[in-house]
């Protein structure tokens, strides 16, 4: 597991605890050359991380026209033209379906086919979202004390309150636990508290990212516009 974490670039921005849990949830797939890894338009039930081999990502304006029942003949001829435009080549560490699984409400937006024999790790969508979005390992976070403290100006918060209320409440945050204690204190000293109604937009793709958010209650969905 540690070898995979260190050698597969997908895990570069995933903390060790999350990586270990993702590996526990994963299964192994071997895909023959020319076979689809994911098919555009299908429900995004999992994401796959390539650990050996390479693949091709295609996007079609009419994915419903692909005749999968006779795809074997296209494989033999090496004719992938029905899949549409070749978008990119994927190699070891690249993923198929991550964008759709994160969004949680999209079918696969591209077809990915094996360009040679591919070995891949497959992670179910539900497991991926649970692990990657689980700020505090499923433990409920008491929001009232946090909201009360963060409603005050940062200058009016004592270090003892920050450490006793915020750091204790967020002790199991996967994000914060990676940081040195002094850095955690500096971050939490500068925090404010916001509540968003259902369906509110928290951030917009393409706009300058001047803030980041830690979700302490509820859940969010991430959407990315593919240009």
């Amino acid at each position: 597991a540690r070898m995979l974490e260190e050698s597969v670039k997908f895990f570069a921005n995933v903390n060790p605890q999350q990586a270990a849990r993702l590996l526990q949830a994963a299964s192994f797939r071997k895909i023959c050359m020319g076979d689809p890894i994911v098919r555009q338009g299908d429900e995004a039930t999992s994401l796959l991380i390539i650990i050996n081999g390479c693949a091709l990502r295609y996007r079609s304006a009419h994915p419903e026209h692909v005749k999968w029942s006779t795809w074997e003949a296209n494989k033999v001829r090496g004719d992938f033209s029905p899949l549409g435009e070749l978008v990119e080549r994927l190699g070891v560490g690249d993923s198929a379906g991550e964008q759709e699984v994160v969004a949680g409400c999209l079918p696969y937006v591209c077809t990915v086919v094996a360009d040679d024999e591919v070995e891949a790790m497959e992670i179910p969508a539900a497991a991926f979202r649970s692990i990657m979005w689980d700020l505090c390992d499923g433990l409920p976070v008491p929001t009232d004390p946090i909201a009360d403290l963060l409603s005050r100006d940062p200058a009016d918060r004592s270090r003892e309150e920050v450490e006793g209320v915020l750091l204790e409440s967020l002790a199991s945050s996967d994000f914060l636990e990676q940081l040195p204690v002094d850095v955690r204190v500096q971050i939490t000293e500068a925090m404010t508290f916001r509540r968003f109604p259902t369906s509110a937009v928290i951030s917009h793709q393409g706009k300058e990212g001047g803030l980041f958010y830690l979700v302490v209650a509820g859940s969010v969905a991430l959407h990315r516009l593919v240009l």
Side-chain angles (χ1 to χ4, degrees), residues 87-160:
V87 178
E88 63 178 328
R89 294 178 63 87
L90 304 177
V92 173
D94 289 325
S95 62
E98 179 184 3
Q99 159 191 333
E100 297 90 337
V101 165
V102 168
C105 60
L106 295 176
Y108 293 118
V109 298
C110 292
T111 294
V112 179
V113 295
D115 195 32
D116 54 15
E117 186 172 83
V118 167
E119 295 175 327
M121 290 168 38
E122 184 172 25
I123 303 172
F128 180 83
R129 288 195 291 266
S130 173
I131 292 167
M132 298 303 292
W133 295 357
D134 188 2
L135 173 67
C136 294
D137 298 327
L139 300 175
V141 175
T143 57
D144 286 343
I146 295 176
D148 179 63
L149 179 58
L150 295 185
S151 65
R152 294 185 243 154
D153 188 271
D156 296 330
R157 307 170 196 163
S158 69
R159 187 182 177 103
E160 290 74 20

Side-chain angles (χ1 to χ4, degrees), residues 42-222:
D42 283 359
E43 182 183 358
T45 56
S46 64
L47 69 92
L48 293 99
I49 304 164
I50 298 172
I51 57 176
N52 199 15
C54 56
L56 303 172
R57 192 194 302 273
Y58 288 89
R59 182 164 50 205
S60 172
H62 301 285
E64 69 278 5
H65 293 170
V66 179
K67 297 180 179 179
W68 292 110
S69 60
T70 58
W71 183 248
E72 193 66 29
N74 291 80
K75 276 177 50 181
V76 172
R77 295 194 306 268
D79 176 18
F80 297 163
S81 59
L83 301 179
E85 177 188 1
L86 176 61
V87 178
E88 63 178 328
R89 294 178 63 87
L90 304 177
V92 173
D94 289 325
S95 62
E98 179 184 3
Q99 159 191 333
E100 297 90 337
V101 165
V102 168
C105 60
L106 295 176
Y108 293 118
V109 298
C110 292
T111 294
V112 179
V113 295
D115 195 32
D116 54 15
E117 186 172 83
V118 167
E119 295 175 327
M121 290 168 38
E122 184 172 25
I123 303 172
F128 180 83
R129 288 195 291 266
S130 173
I131 292 167
M132 298 303 292
W133 295 357
D134 188 2
L135 173 67
C136 294
D137 298 327
L139 300 175
V141 175
T143 57
D144 286 343
I146 295 176
D148 179 63
L149 179 58
L150 295 185
S151 65
R152 294 185 243 154
D153 188 271
D156 296 330
R157 307 170 196 163
S158 69
R159 187 182 177 103
E160 290 74 20
E161 287 177 312
V162 169
E163 293 182 354
V165 176
L166 288 181
L167 290 185
E168 184 176 332
S169 297
L170 301 174
S172 57
S173 161
D174 289 333
F175 170 74
L176 290 177
E177 71 179 4
Q178 304 174 73
L179 306 175
V181 173
D182 286 348
V183 176
R184 295 183 215 174
V185 171
Q186 290 176 22
I187 290 174
T188 50
E189 282 178 341
M191 281 181 176
T192 57
F193 186 84
R194 292 187 62 184
R195 283 191 171 97
F196 294 92
T198 301
S199 299
V201 177
I202 297 175
S203 63
H204 293 80
Q205 179 178 341
K207 290 191 175 182
E208 183 178 358
L211 298 169
F212 77 91
Y213 298 88
L214 293 177
V215 179
V216 296
S219 60
V220 298
L222 304 179

